Amino acid sequence: MPGSRRTTAVALAATASIALLATACTGSNDAGAKDDPNARTTLTFWHGWSAPSEVEAIAANIEAFEAKHPNIKVKVVKGITDDKLNQALRAGGSNAPDVVSSFTTDNVGRFCSTNALADLKPFLDKAKIDPAKTFLPQMAKYTEHEGKRCTVPLLGDAYGLYYNKKAFAEAGITAPPKTLSEFDEVAKKLTKAKGDTYEQLGFMPNFQGYETTFEHYAAQFGIQYLDGEGKSSLASDPHTKELLTWQKGLVEKLGGYQKLEKYRTGLGDEWGPKHPLHTGQVAMQLDGEWRGKMAKDAKLPFEIGAAPFPVPDDQAADYGKGYLSGTILGIAGTSEKQNAAWELVKYLSTDTDAVVSFANAIHNVPSTLAALKSPKLNNDPVYRTFVDIAQHPKSAHAPSSVNGGAFLLTAQDFGVAYEAGREKDLDAGLKKTDAQVDKDNEQAG
């Protein structure tokens, strides 16, 4: 299962729990680690992976690390939620982790600003590792906050368009769409109504659909979110209005909000074999690189293809870009074994063989430039589509914030209200959204 998988509710819970860190800043960011990395010690590593294949893959890397560092043993705790992680980082103590990974990339700003995770710059400098030359630039960017680096990327996720090749052939569609106007036409052509529901839906555009969130769409439009002073700029960025107008227009073209919502609530589990792309209930899906492996494991009776998600017509030259996210890795600010912990962080995040083997095993995108060029990297063409998306210079993640991902949830909530018709004045609604984001950030920071 993918490292970045999360629903709005999960992200909200993570943001709420990590907000507590603001009133209980822990650890030290002066990098005054005193422990001897060559001494015999045991590190505690907390991660969120839980599927057997994922757990086995990270365990293999830990075993390889221990072979290279026989003085360091690693106690691994799997399946850790961000809620548990945040509580432990706040509390510290002998049972707290030394090294942590999180799927919630949006919380980097909070992790760094509260010193919940240690500043990694002194460790990187001592090891002569330049993040800008080691990691994929876009991933290096979303793992720091306002110049402070408290995390590094541990694999990444890139989002693109999956499509049912059989459905395309039956509809006479010969290639995936590249612009949103082309996408709208293809989505309509692939949609087969059946009374008040659908025999097949071309695409589920609703903001509460699987992965069709405001944040994921925004990457295609190039929305900036914040101005130079850190104030919310959704109302003043013309791309925001363009996104919401396009999305609501597609909702209407495909049957309207109520009809789509009724269909959406009857779809199978996103992480199970009955995903609507697997069952043929939707013909196209915005999703990450992991979906290709999940579809293959589900043994579908048809072939799927993958391509970058379409871009606005006036940004056709940027076709190929997409939303990026991924797993982040850091050292607990309360850890008394930070030098030893750094050895583990350095190995997991920068050793080329470790990164490639882990990427291949869990079907995520490598986060280092060396791993991306490795001949050992999975060469499956569907997977490689997402490797290419990740390397597009305009692929991006939302900016970091002292308020975690709260500003993204505020934008998402407005999008849901607008598509449903509860908010009718787009300009006024975006100004209210900006005001709420600024208020929340002021309270958090």
Side-chain angles (χ1 to χ4, degrees):
M1 299 179 196
S4 71
R5 58 176 196 163
R6 66 191 186 282
T7 63
T8 298
V10 172
L12 179 58
T15 299
S17 62
I18 199 170
L20 295 172
L21 290 169
T23 58
C25 296
T26 59
S28 169
N29 67 344
D30 62 3
K34 301 293 194 297
D35 64 296
D36 179 1
N38 297 313
R40 297 189 67 83
T41 190
T42 298
L43 297 174
T44 301
F45 172 40
W46 283 14
H47 68 72
W49 290 286
S50 58
S53 60
E54 298 169 338
V55 173
E56 182 180 341
I58 191 67
N61 271 2
I62 295 298
E63 184 177 344
F65 167 79
E66 291 178 332
K68 289 190 174 185
H69 299 267
N71 62 300
I72 303 176
K73 297 300 179 185
V74 182
K75 177 184 176 183
V76 180
V77 183
K78 66 179 181 179
I80 294 294
T81 65
D82 266 27
D83 185 49
K84 290 181 180 179
L85 173 61
N86 298 328
Q87 291 177 25
L89 290 175
R90 186 173 70 253
S94 60
N95 294 322
D98 299 295
V99 177
V100 302
S101 69
S102 170
F103 298 154
T104 313
T105 318
D106 295 331
N107 276 333
V108 169
R110 178 66 74 186
F111 282 135
C112 290
S113 62
T114 61
N115 300 327
L117 296 181
D119 186 354
L120 297 181
K121 186 178 187 302
F123 299 102
L124 288 159
D125 288 348
K126 187 175 181 180
K128 297 182 179 180
I129 295 174
D130 182 350
K133 296 179 180 179
T134 303
F135 303 112
L136 193 65
Q138 299 91 322
M139 294 182 187
K141 184 177 180 180
Y142 70 58
T143 47
E144 65 177 1
H145 174 68
E146 296 181 347
K148 179 177 179 180
R149 174 168 300 284
C150 67
T151 69
V152 288
L154 176 59
L155 305 189
D157 297 314
Y159 283 68
L161 179 69
Y162 286 95
Y163 59 96
N164 182 325
K165 287 190 172 183
K166 179 182 178 183
F168 265 47
E170 290 175 347
I173 303 168
T174 58
K178 294 184 177 181
T179 64
L180 291 177
S181 62
E182 293 173 354
F183 180 72
D184 288 4
E185 292 303 312
V186 169
K188 286 194 299 181
K189 197 170 185 179
L190 291 167
T191 297
K192 301 175 183 178
K194 185 178 181 182
D196 63 350
T197 185
Y198 304 90
E199 178 183 337
Q200 174 181 278
L201 178 63
F203 178 75
M204 173 54 72
N206 291 25
F207 280 122
Q208 296 184 89
Y210 295 150
E211 306 297 344
T212 50
T213 65
F214 181 92
E215 183 180 7
H216 296 171
Y217 283 143
Q220 303 310 112
F221 285 80
I223 290 175
Q224 296 302 304
Y225 293 100
L226 306 172
D227 64 19
E229 298 180 350
K231 298 291 186 180
S232 182
S233 59
L234 292 177
S236 60
D237 186 340
H239 295 315
T240 311
K241 190 171 182 178
E242 185 182 0
L243 185 165
L244 292 165
T245 301
W246 162 75
Q247 188 269 350
K248 188 170 184 178
L250 183 56
V251 167
E252 296 305 318
K253 290 174 183 176
L254 297 182
Y257 177 76
Q258 295 299 334
K259 185 175 180 178
L260 287 169
E261 276 297 282
K262 181 180 179 181
Y263 190 65
R264 181 186 68 79
T265 57
L267 298 175
D269 175 43
E270 181 175 6
W271 308 110
K274 298 298 183 182
H275 184 285
L277 180 69
H278 299 177
T279 60
Q281 290 170 287
V282 299
M284 296 187 293
Q285 177 71 45
L286 171 61
D287 219 330
E289 73 288 333
W290 60 82
R291 178 60 51 192
K293 183 177 187 301
M294 296 180 79
K296 186 176 181 180
D297 291 345
K299 295 181 171 56
L300 308 186
F302 53 84
E303 186 179 358
I304 62 168
F309 197 82
V311 294
D313 289 45
D314 62 355
Q315 298 185 47
D318 294 335
Y319 176 71
K321 67 180 179 178
Y323 173 79
L324 298 183
S325 185
T327 305
I328 55 178
L329 187 67
I331 299 172
T334 56
S335 173
E336 296 181 355
K337 308 171 184 177
Q338 291 188 4
N339 284 322
W342 165 246
E343 294 300 324
L344 178 59
V345 168
K346 180 174 65 173
Y347 176 78
L348 292 177
S349 63
T350 66
D351 184 278
T352 300
D353 284 342
V355 173
V356 171
S357 65
F358 196 29
N360 286 341
I362 70 172
H363 217 258
N364 277 187
V365 174
S367 39
T368 69
L369 296 174
L372 286 163
K373 297 175 183 177
S374 172
K376 298 178 182 178
L377 187 64
N378 185 344
N379 204 35
D380 173 70
V382 170
Y383 171 76
R384 285 287 181 162
T385 296
F386 295 88
V387 172
D388 291 342
I389 292 170
Q391 296 178 82
H392 192 285
K394 291 194 175 181
S395 290
H397 184 272
S400 64
S401 167
V402 295
N403 209 13
F407 72 107
L408 298 168
L409 297 172
T410 301
Q412 168 82 359
D413 289 345
F414 175 71
V416 172
Y418 184 68
E419 71 174 355
R422 296 192 297 272
E423 288 278 2
K424 301 186 183 301
D425 189 326
L426 182 53
D427 292 316
L430 286 174
K431 289 179 181 178
K432 286 194 299 182
T433 301
D434 279 342
Q436 185 63 53
V437 169
D438 289 341
K439 178 181 178 181
D440 292 342
N441 283 344
E442 183 177 352
Q443 291 177 344

